[in-house]
Each structure stands twice: as C-alpha cells, then as structure tokens.
Amino acid sequence: MRWLKRNLVVLAGLLTLAYLIVPNIVVLVFSFNKPAGRFNYSWQEFSTDAWTDPCGVADLCGSLALSLQIALWATIGATVLGAMIAFALVRYRFRARGPINSLIFLPMAMPEVVMAASLLTLFLNLGVQLGFWTILIAHTMFCLSFVVVAVKARVMSMDPRLEEAARDLYAGPFQTFWRVTLPIAAPGIAAGAMLAFALSFDDFIITNFNSGSTVTFPMFVWGSAQRGTPVQINVIGTAMFAIAVLVVVAGQLISNRRQKAALPK
C-alpha cells in the first residue's frame, strides 16, 4: 500500500497515456489488415498492400492534400493574427481591451455546431459561394482563439527587463523585437501554430456546414464509414500520428540540447 501511495500519480499518468495511445495502436494494426469485405473492422489477414498503395482509393489523396493545404494556410493566418492580438492585449492598454479578452474565449467555449451554423448564416447572407475559401475563413476564425491563448501565456511570462537591456545597448525597436522578443515568444507561437494546424486538419463539424461540395479528409473518412472503410485510411492516420510524435520528440530534444548548452561549463 505504501508503494501504491507513493506511485499513485505515476500509475494514473501511465493509465491515462495508455488510454490515449491504445486507439492509435489499433489503427496501426488494422493498417496491415486485408479485410474480406468492405469494412475494416475485424482482423482477417496480414497484408502490406495498403502501405504500398496509400492512394489506391479514389479521391483519398486529393481530400488529404486539400485538408493539408487548408490547415497550412489557416495556421499561417491564425498564427500571424493571433500573435499580434496576444501582444496587443498584454502590452497595451486600450478601451476595448476587456471585452476583447472575453470574446477571445467564446470560440473555445462555444459548441462547434453553433459556430458552424453562425458562419454558414453569415456566408449565405453575404452571398458567398461555399467552398475552399469559406472553409479557410472558418478555420482561421476558430483557430485564432487557441493561438491567442497560447501566445498570450508566453508573452505574460516574459521578463520586460530583457527588452529594456537591449534598448540600453542601443538596439532599435526592430532589433529588440527580432533578437530578444521574438526568440523568447517563439515557443508559445510554435505551440499555438501546431495546435491550430491539428485543429484545422481534424475539424469536421464546421467544415461540413461551410464546405459546399468541397470534400476534406475528415469528410472523406465520414463518407467512407457509411459505405465501407478502406484500409488506406488507417495508413494515413498512422502516418499522421507518427509524424506528430516525431515533431514532438524532435522539439523536446532540441529544447534539451539548448538547455544543456546554456548551462555554465
């Protein structure tokens, strides 16, 4: 019992991690399956056919490329706008600062179906044709709040004396921002950008309302589930999961190396 009490937090963390990883392991295993029918829900036979031909299903890679393109542009737009909003909310005092701080959290607290219906109503009233651009605008809008929160937390923890020291050493406003402020805020900006990319790539509800006839990868997966799930979907899911893990591990290794390099020898 003493050992259990001492390691209770560690055990709870390991169980939570296993709960999160088990579905991804199932997806990985069934990416090597060769189903007998249309649905890839029961194990039949080991095969690497889906890995050798991931684009063997019509429109799969096209929808994947479209989702990646939308996620990339939405991430760039949300990151640039979100970083500027975060700096403005932390560094400056203006009349609408309080209401804006409150409004930033609305897309995070609001159910996606409400935001999706509101955006659809806006686009229809403006006479905008639904498609790529409406999806991009919608994704940028709901990713913006997450970027602002991530960057704002980083900017609030910055020591203003570092920027003051740069100005005392005759650095101009641009040099101070480029060499001092931006490197310190970079982890928060990167975290917000990665979160925005993941949210945009994964979104289904807002996309489904505002896509028109455009089909993204989540919509393709949902449509395939009605007719029969191809193994290639598991392949793409496994590849995306592996890339995400590699990015996180690489970032952690780079961070650890920088910390070691900063230590006095």
Side-chain angles (χ1 to χ4, degrees), residues 13 22-23 34 60 72 106 115 133 179 197 199 226 229 234:
V22 164
K34 188 174 183 179
L60 188 151
L72 178 62
L106 277 182
M115 187 174 183
W133 292 107
R179 295 181 178 272
F197 184 89
L199 290 170
Q226 315 303 314
T229 309
N234 295 64

Side-chain angles (χ1 to χ4, degrees), residues 24 26-33 40 47-57 60-61 64 217 229-243:
N24 296 285
V26 173
V27 171
L28 169 64
V29 171
F30 276 83
S31 68
F32 293 98
N33 186 30
N40 186 26
S47 174
T48 59
D49 293 344
W51 282 93
T52 56
D53 188 18
C55 296
V57 180
L60 188 151
C61 284
L64 175 63
F217 183 69
T229 309
V231 185
Q232 283 81 356
I233 289 179
N234 295 64
V235 173
I236 300 298
T238 302
M240 296 299 294
F241 176 73
I243 292 172

Side-chain angles (χ1 to χ4, degrees), residues 48-239:
T48 59
D49 293 344
W51 282 93
T52 56
D53 188 18
C55 296
V57 180
D59 298 328
L60 188 151
C61 284
S63 63
L64 175 63
L66 180 62
S67 285
L68 291 173
Q69 185 180 0
I70 292 173
L72 178 62
W73 286 112
T75 300
I76 294 174
T79 302
V80 173
L81 293 174
M84 291 191 294
I85 293 173
F87 273 98
L89 291 174
V90 175
R91 295 294 180 86
Y92 300 97
R93 300 291 182 269
F94 48 93
R95 184 171 298 177
R97 181 171 177 268
I100 291 176
N101 262 318
S102 301
L103 288 172
I104 287 296
F105 288 95
L106 277 182
M108 301 173 63
M110 185 186 303
E112 279 195 41
V113 67
V114 176
M115 187 174 183
S118 301
L119 287 169
L120 176 60
T121 303
L122 174 65
F123 292 139
L124 292 179
N125 286 331
L126 293 176
V128 179
Q129 183 177 0
L130 300 180
F132 175 88
W133 292 107
T134 54
I135 298 174
L136 179 58
I137 294 171
H139 283 205
T140 303
M141 289 183 66
F142 83 83
C143 289
L144 185 63
S145 298
F146 295 90
V147 177
V148 171
V149 171
V151 179
K152 185 181 174 183
R154 182 65 178 178
V155 175
M156 291 178 66
S157 65
M158 291 172 56
D159 189 351
R161 293 175 295 181
L162 296 174
E163 295 172 295
E164 293 174 3
R167 289 192 291 268
D168 289 341
L169 295 172
Y170 304 103
F174 178 77
Q175 285 182 311
T176 301
F177 177 80
W178 186 255
R179 295 181 178 272
V180 179
T181 308
L182 186 60
I184 297 175
I189 297 174
M194 288 190 290
L195 183 59
F197 184 89
L199 290 170
S200 175
F201 180 83
D202 184 59
D203 181 76
F204 172 77
I205 297 176
I206 295 177
T207 305
N208 190 37
F209 270 73
N210 299 278
S211 61
S213 59
T214 305
V215 179
T216 61
F217 183 69
M219 294 180 65
F220 179 87
V221 174
W222 178 80
S224 298
Q226 315 303 314
R227 304 182 301 270
T229 309
V231 185
Q232 283 81 356
I233 289 179
N234 295 64
V235 173
I236 300 298
T238 302

